[in-house]
Amino acid sequence: MTRRAVLSDANGAHGPAGARYLAPGWFTARVFNPAVARLTRWGLPLAGSRELAVRGRSTGEWRTTPVNPLVVGGVRYLVAPRGHTQWVRNLRVAGAGELRLGRRAEAFTAVELADAEKLPVLREYLRRWAWEVGAFFDGVGAGATDEELLAAAPKHPVFRLEPLR
């Protein structure tokens, strides 16, 4: 499996300076993600998956992708294992979105966490989904030291989701 890393330019066009995005391979982009998204749209989530819907930062049109929301201490989070992806950039601009499962859509606002706040979320995310996303964390796992997780934190944006009432 080949992963293509895309680094931001000097102006941070792809996210913060030095930000990384690991593009999905052909199988993930053309088979796995569409299958997970389809099952989730049908109301059959794979390992708790949801379809994230966010307005595009340029077009304003809804963009969707499958994600694995995580609950830590009663709070829901989204972690970007592949780094500063399109959905991350769109969510930063929009500040809100929806998590969809079947016909249900839960609207939320999103607050991006500072790197120091990410430790318990990244640790739990890796504990729960290392089998799926561990390859994107460069050998850092749930049992890593705080220092190792802090070093990985800038590569993996994390958003706290606050439900709209």
Side-chain angles (χ1 to χ4, degrees), residues 34-104:
V36 171
R38 184 172 296 114
L39 288 171
T40 303
R41 277 193 300 273
W42 290 345
L44 303 168
L46 176 66
S49 66
R50 297 292 184 269
E51 187 175 49
L52 171 65
V54 180
R55 295 275 184 184
R57 60 192 180 282
S58 299
T59 65
E61 295 179 19
W62 285 105
R63 304 293 181 191
T64 61
T65 191
V67 294
N68 292 325
L70 175 70
V71 177
V72 177
V75 179
R76 188 181 274 181
Y77 297 93
L78 284 180
V79 176
R82 292 182 176 274
H84 299 267
T85 62
Q86 294 295 331
W87 74 258
V88 166
R89 291 184 249 159
N90 287 337
L91 191 53
R92 284 178 175 145
V93 171
E98 293 179 352
L99 286 177
R100 299 174 179 173
L101 176 61
R103 294 180 182 195
R104 266 191 23 224

Side-chain angles (χ1 to χ4, degrees), residues 139-161:
V140 175
T145 66
D146 287 352
E147 292 76 26
E148 290 169 325
L149 281 173
L150 273 174
K155 297 176 186 174
H156 306 283
V158 176
F159 295 89
R160 181 178 64 244
L161 307 185

Side-chain angles (χ1 to χ4, degrees), residues 98-130:
E98 293 179 352
L99 286 177
R100 299 174 179 173
L101 176 61
R103 294 180 182 195
R104 266 191 23 224
E106 301 173 59
F108 64 85
T109 58
V111 177
E112 189 166 3
L113 300 186
D115 290 342
E117 298 175 282
K118 296 177 185 178
L119 292 181
V121 178
L122 289 177
R123 191 175 306 284
E124 180 61 19
Y125 189 79
L126 287 166
R127 188 193 67 71
R128 181 148 183 207
W129 282 299

